[in-house]
Amino acid sequence: MRSCFIEIRGNVLLWLKNFFTGKTHQTRVDSSLSDLADLSSGIIQGSGIGPVMFLSYNNELIALLETCGIVVKAFADDVKIYVRIVNDVNRQLQHAIDSLVRWAEEWQLTVSVDKCCVLNIGHLVLLPELMIQNKVLPNVNSVRDLGINVTNYLSPSDHVCDMSVVILQITTQNAETTYTTSPDQTDGMKLEV
């Protein structure tokens, strides 16, 4: 735990170290229990302090990436990095990506490379060749981010279209319900969409 980064010292630091070390895990399926397994990392689900500690953990990454001169946005374990392009910024973004990878390796985390991509927003089309772990990141025209489709022109059309299809599917499934006109009548009327 990097307590100096968030300036936790003394008894609070000792309490946190005790809280996060020496933990075990066991899984129950019906009446069967798995063997106990030692937990070497992670945050205890359902604890009040867990989310706060995760944020402090993530804040180190955000501060590190901001030193690269880029903007960082994070939601839980999802991180976006971006920069306004006025010229070739491959080196700046690549430096930030390399810093992220080093940080993840140091903390024994993996970067989901298959979920990473480059989205160029706006009329100026630059297709930088950025890499993570020797894999070139694909340049895309749209990406699904936290449930929303984001396009290179920030048009809501793709998202609205996708959501319309989902809503139609849900209403079609729910609309196949039988209604009767009176308690005596056994033949129902079927509503179809």
Side-chain angles (χ1 to χ4, degrees), residues 5 11 21 25 60-61 75 78 89 93 148 152 156 167 177 179 192:
F5 184 76
N11 287 337
T21 57
H25 172 77
E60 180 185 8
L61 172 63
F75 180 79
D78 193 34
V89 292
L93 283 172
I148 297 174
N152 55 343
I167 290 168
T177 305
Y179 297 93
E192 293 184 32

Side-chain angles (χ1 to χ4, degrees), residues 4 17 38 40 66 88 132 144 149 152 180-181 189 191:
C4 60
K17 282 183 179 179
D38 292 329
S40 59
E66 286 175 343
D88 182 29
I132 295 181
R144 189 163 180 87
N149 291 337
N152 55 343
T180 56
T181 55
M189 298 185 322
L191 172 66

Side-chain angles (χ1 to χ4, degrees), residues 15-25 39 41-54:
W15 184 86
L16 287 171
K17 282 183 179 179
N18 288 333
F19 183 77
F20 287 111
T21 57
K23 300 295 178 200
T24 58
H25 172 77
L39 293 178
S41 64
I43 295 198
I44 300 165
Q45 274 191 310
S47 69
I49 193 72
V52 174
M53 294 310 297
F54 185 77

Side-chain angles (χ1 to χ4, degrees), residues 78-91:
D78 193 34
V79 176
K80 310 281 178 290
I81 61 174
Y82 61 93
V83 66
R84 183 170 182 213
I85 298 175
V86 290
N87 56 24
D88 182 29
V89 292
N90 282 12
R91 286 172 295 192

Side-chain angles (χ1 to χ4, degrees), residues 64-70 81 89-103 129-131:
L64 172 71
L65 293 174
E66 286 175 343
T67 64
C68 299
I70 60 169
I81 61 174
V89 292
N90 282 12
R91 286 172 295 192
Q92 186 180 12
L93 283 172
Q94 188 62 60
H95 176 65
I97 291 169
D98 294 343
S99 295
L100 180 143
V101 170
R102 281 192 302 275
W103 180 87
E129 186 174 283
L130 301 171
M131 301 178 76

Side-chain angles (χ1 to χ4, degrees), residues 17-192:
K17 282 183 179 179
N18 288 333
F19 183 77
F20 287 111
T21 57
K23 300 295 178 200
T24 58
H25 172 77
Q26 190 173 41
T27 302
R28 177 190 307 265
V29 176
D30 295 326
S31 61
S32 300
L33 285 174
S34 68
D35 293 335
L36 281 175
D38 292 329
L39 293 178
S40 59
S41 64
I43 295 198
I44 300 165
Q45 274 191 310
S47 69
I49 193 72
V52 174
M53 294 310 297
F54 185 77
L55 288 174
S56 64
Y57 177 75
N58 239 13
N59 281 341
E60 180 185 8
L61 172 63
I62 293 167
L64 172 71
L65 293 174
E66 286 175 343
T67 64
C68 299
I70 60 169
V71 180
V72 181
K73 299 293 179 191
F75 180 79
D77 63 346
D78 193 34
V79 176
K80 310 281 178 290
I81 61 174
Y82 61 93
V83 66
R84 183 170 182 213
I85 298 175
V86 290
N87 56 24
D88 182 29
V89 292
N90 282 12
R91 286 172 295 192
Q92 186 180 12
L93 283 172
Q94 188 62 60
H95 176 65
I97 291 169
D98 294 343
S99 295
L100 180 143
V101 170
R102 281 192 302 275
W103 180 87
E105 287 172 353
E106 185 177 342
W107 283 102
Q108 300 174 352
L109 299 171
T110 56
V111 176
S112 298
V113 179
D114 293 334
K115 294 181 179 180
C116 297
C117 64
V118 178
L119 176 65
N120 185 72
I121 296 175
H123 298 288
L124 179 62
V125 179
L126 293 175
L127 300 175
E129 186 174 283
L130 301 171
M131 301 178 76
I132 295 181
Q133 300 165 344
N134 296 321
K135 181 180 177 186
V136 176
L137 297 178
N139 286 283
V140 298
N141 293 323
S142 67
V143 65
R144 189 163 180 87
D145 181 33
L146 299 174
I148 297 174
N149 291 337
V150 180
T151 66
N152 55 343
Y153 291 106
L154 298 179
S155 169
S157 299
D158 286 357
H159 182 71
V160 170
C161 184
D162 287 352
M163 291 300 100
S164 297
V165 169
V166 169
I167 290 168
L168 182 61
Q169 289 171 343
I170 291 170
T171 55
T172 301
Q173 290 169 357
N174 291 339
E176 292 187 13
T177 305
T178 302
Y179 297 93
T180 56
T181 55
S182 71
D184 302 320
Q185 196 172 2
T186 56
D187 292 315
M189 298 185 322
K190 191 171 185 181
L191 172 66
E192 293 184 32

